[in-house]
Amino acid sequence: MTDKARHHGSTPDPDELRAQVEQTREELGRTIEALAAKADVKAQAQQKAAKVKGLVQGKAAHANEQLTETTHTLGRKIHDKTPQAGAREGRPEGEGRTEGAGTHATRNLLVLAGVGVAALAVIIAVRRGRRC
């Protein structure tokens, strides 16, 4: 019943009743949809899994960026501190250098890159283990 019908003591006309029934149906439909969404455990689990996956991917990408940056920084430091072959032998830099003179620094960079990749693999494995 509408407020108008209650105040005047008269019964509502059929149009008012139809409007009330339609409004009640709409409210009931929304309530049922909300309850169904709460009861759908599979959909909730999928939503949560997608959210966690996004977070893990974001953190892994951030860790990869940090690892790459650190690798480059350490590589530059190693290169700056590694004595050149000519300088070790008492000759001016670049003089009397053999073809394999830069291999030590290159090897250090490769080892450092390998350590970085291994660290990234461990980070990803640990994060995947937490997800289960």
Side-chain angles (χ1 to χ4, degrees):
M1 285 208 245
T2 62
D3 291 333
K4 183 179 174 184
R6 276 190 239 145
H7 292 309
H8 296 319
S10 64
T11 59
D13 64 11
D15 290 334
E16 289 176 339
L17 288 174
R18 284 187 191 99
Q20 287 177 354
V21 168
E22 184 61 32
Q23 181 182 0
T24 303
R25 282 183 183 158
E26 289 175 9
E27 290 173 6
L28 183 60
R30 286 191 297 268
T31 302
I32 289 172
E33 286 177 9
L35 288 172
K38 285 185 177 182
D40 192 355
V41 176
K42 183 177 179 181
Q44 289 179 0
Q46 288 174 341
Q47 288 174 346
K48 182 160 182 139
K51 182 179 177 182
V52 169
K53 181 180 178 182
L55 289 172
V56 169
Q57 286 176 339
K59 288 182 179 183
H62 181 68
N64 187 24
E65 289 172 11
Q66 286 181 328
L67 191 58
T68 301
E69 184 179 317
T70 302
T71 302
H72 288 302
T73 301
L74 290 175
R76 275 186 253 121
K77 286 181 180 180
I78 289 171
H79 180 70
D80 291 346
K81 291 186 179 189
T82 303
Q84 301 301 325
R88 281 188 298 221
E89 297 170 5
R91 291 185 222 134
E93 191 173 330
E95 247 183 60
R97 193 179 271 193
T98 61
E99 191 174 315
T103 58
H104 182 69
T106 303
R107 189 173 345 132
N108 286 345
L109 286 176
L110 290 175
V111 169
L112 187 60
V115 169
V117 169
L120 181 61
V122 168
I123 290 170
I124 291 171
V126 167
R127 299 219 183 233
R128 285 186 180 170
R130 288 183 189 168
R131 218 178 1 168
C132 295

